Amino acid sequence: MIELAPQVAPLHVANIKALARAHYFDGLAIVRVQDNYVVQWADPDHRRPIPAGVHPVAAEFTAAKGAGARFQPLPDKDLYASEVGFLDGFRAA
């Protein structure tokens, strides 16, 4: 089970759902897992066609503050972001 963030990356979420519905990941190897962060699958032979309904998308990992999502800031400092915390339960900066 994975949790997706459509409020931040709606096009990526739509692609993941389309891939899952098409059983694209069935039988592929999981090559990287970091709890609460990322999972990567591999198709080393590049034999699987991309299913219909999956489209290339640019990075869309931003959300405006107050745009319907709840941001809970943390007191921690970060070298790369002026503010860090959680956006609807997801780590965010």
Side-chain angles (χ1 to χ4, degrees):
M1 180 186 317
I2 61 172
E3 185 176 8
L4 303 171
Q7 72 276 25
V8 178
L11 300 176
H12 284 81
V13 168
N15 277 345
I16 293 293
K17 287 181 175 183
L19 289 164
R21 287 184 187 119
H23 300 275
Y24 181 82
F25 302 108
D26 292 1
L28 289 181
I30 296 174
V31 295
R32 179 178 173 213
V33 175
Q34 290 181 339
D35 287 347
N36 299 314
Y37 179 62
V38 68
V39 175
Q40 291 178 319
W41 283 264
D43 180 12
D45 300 323
H46 302 286
R47 293 186 179 161
R48 293 188 183 213
I50 300 300
V54 176
H55 307 285
V57 294
E60 57 172 351
F61 307 112
T62 60
K65 260 185 149 176
R70 291 174 305 157
F71 183 75
Q72 298 171 318
L74 292 173
D76 305 323
K77 302 293 181 194
D78 187 276
L79 293 175
Y80 302 103
S82 60
E83 197 171 21
V84 297
F86 292 91
L87 180 67
D88 289 339
F90 288 95
R91 294 176 184 166

